[in-house]
Amino acid sequence: MRKPRFKRDAFAALRKRILRETEIALMIGLRFPEKMPRIPTIEVGKGTFHSTFAEEYWKETLDLDEADIERLQHVTPVEWLPDYQQ
């Protein structure tokens, strides 16, 4: 049986939107670096972020609520792909 076409079209539209938003964010970041948030870093192999700090940082940065965080902790990313078959 042939897969519905709308899934592929929806994925293409989402991909196009993500690329456009990323391009805009990069242009603004390069033009106004002082307005961009600092992304915390640790040198590889020298330490790690506490899980609470990482969760709070990404929750604030991505404007996630508790339900989003809970869902992200229990879903494997491959399931989000449009052509994923179990």
Side-chain angles (χ1 to χ4, degrees):
M1 182 174 189
R2 197 170 184 187
K3 291 183 183 183
R5 184 175 174 183
F6 70 89
K7 281 188 177 182
R8 192 160 294 171
D9 291 344
F11 180 71
L14 176 64
R15 183 178 182 277
K16 187 175 182 178
R17 191 187 91 216
I18 289 171
L19 289 172
R20 185 175 59 242
E21 290 174 0
T22 302
E23 181 181 59
I24 291 168
L26 288 171
M27 286 192 311
I28 292 170
L30 291 171
R31 178 68 176 97
F32 305 104
E34 70 282 356
K35 294 183 180 181
M36 295 289 93
R38 182 184 169 276
I39 299 174
T41 59
I42 293 178
E43 188 177 338
V44 174
K46 298 291 183 183
T48 60
F49 290 111
H50 191 277
S51 60
T52 306
F53 171 78
E55 184 176 307
E56 288 300 317
Y57 174 80
W58 288 111
K59 188 180 345 176
E60 181 181 321
T61 301
L62 300 175
D63 195 27
L64 301 173
D65 60 21
E66 293 299 324
D68 294 328
I69 296 292
E70 184 68 26
R71 204 169 345 124
L72 288 171
Q73 291 174 347
H74 296 4
V75 177
T76 53
V78 73
E79 293 172 359
W80 298 347
L81 296 174
D83 295 330
Y84 176 75
Q85 294 176 2
Q86 206 165 10

